[in-house]
Amino acid sequence: MIVKRLRDAGCVYAEDEAALLTEAATSPRHLETLVSRRIAGHPLETLLGWAEFLGHRILLDPGVFVPRRRTEHLANTAAALLHPPATVIDLCCGSGALAAVLTRDGIDVHATDIDPTAVTCARRNLDPTHVHQGDLYQPLPEALRGRVDVIVANAPYVPTDAIATMPPEARDHEPRVALDGGADGLTIARRVTAQAPQWLRDGGHLIIETSTAQAPHLADIMHTHGLNPHITSDDELDGTAVIGTHNARKQRVPRTGTPH
């Protein structure tokens, strides 16, 4: 019965969702509440209270951006560039999923978000003393300036006019501040890029998730700010990111390809 209700509501993986909701429910009444909310368009992950991200169970609170599978490409790209000891900044961290999968021995990770709800959630998934509330770099410890190996940012990149076309579970149940990237989707990415050279060590990397169409424009933005950019993508994950490398000599690198 639950499977049919979910399938009729358009849930593609109705059997899997029914099993997860049943497991999460503490009583028949609670199960009915969860199913009804899912049918109404609430994100499955928010109802469960967690999202799976690269094998990690990330705790999730209502009103927090749900980690996307495509963002695993951003995480994988960053991880390949990290060699302990290293320092990482996760901007627009949301639940802290990126920071959580990048944290390991010898990797010092700091995360920021402007949304207090997201910060509260991220502090459940990360060392709470390393999660900072504020606008992009503003709340970070000054001691990190010029010493960061990798900055990752899954900054909002949906153009403002395109938000209305998003699935209801995102459009209606995730914070607009986590979705709206301005007129061309790159407003926040520009700000992230402009300040990145102040925080990166020489040879450090800024990595920003973006869309395939936006990637060349973001690469140009990085180049304008003295970073050596190139684009990387993963077709299986449908993920795209632009890597900008901080080089004091400002040597040019190809703008497309796979990072070495």
Side-chain angles (χ1 to χ4, degrees), residues 154-259:
N154 184 16
Y157 59 90
V158 180
T160 302
D161 289 346
I163 289 177
T165 67
M166 295 184 72
E169 60 187 33
R171 182 186 67 226
D172 298 337
H173 298 285
E174 292 182 322
R176 191 178 181 95
V177 70
L179 303 173
D180 193 341
D184 64 353
L186 294 172
T187 297
I188 309 303
R190 286 187 182 89
R191 296 181 55 220
V192 169
T193 301
Q195 298 180 59
Q198 303 171 33
W199 294 88
L200 290 170
R201 66 164 177 79
D202 188 27
H205 308 282
L206 168 66
I207 315 171
I208 303 179
E209 179 174 306
T210 190
S211 71
T212 302
Q214 292 166 335
H217 304 291
L218 180 53
D220 286 340
I221 292 167
M222 289 189 180
H223 181 72
T224 297
H225 289 283
L227 301 174
N228 295 327
H230 73 253
I231 299 166
T232 177
S233 60
D234 185 312
D235 293 338
E236 182 179 350
L237 293 172
D238 191 29
T240 299
V242 183
I243 306 171
T245 302
H246 181 44
N247 190 314
R249 296 179 298 279
K250 297 184 180 179
Q251 294 177 341
R252 297 287 298 274
V253 299
R255 297 191 186 190
T256 60
T258 303

Side-chain angles (χ1 to χ4, degrees), residues 19-41:
L20 288 167
L21 292 171
T22 300
E23 181 182 353
T26 57
S27 68
R29 175 178 287 186
H30 186 212
L31 176 59
E32 176 56 32
T33 298
L34 293 176
V35 172
S36 297
R37 287 180 177 173
R38 180 61 183 138
I39 290 171

Side-chain angles (χ1 to χ4, degrees), residues 67-130:
R68 309 300 203 249
R69 187 166 181 261
R70 69 174 67 95
T71 306
E72 293 182 356
H73 174 59
L74 177 58
N76 289 332
T77 301
L81 295 170
L82 285 171
H83 307 284
T87 300
V88 178
I89 294 173
D90 178 8
L91 300 176
C92 307
C93 71
S95 63
L98 272 170
V101 301
L102 294 175
T103 298
R104 59 183 189 270
D105 289 345
I107 305 293
D108 183 33
V109 183
H110 287 259
T112 77
D113 203 289
I114 197 169
D115 183 354
T117 303
V119 168
T120 297
C121 182
R123 285 174 175 161
R124 299 173 63 205
N125 292 305
L126 305 168
D127 177 349
T129 66
H130 280 206

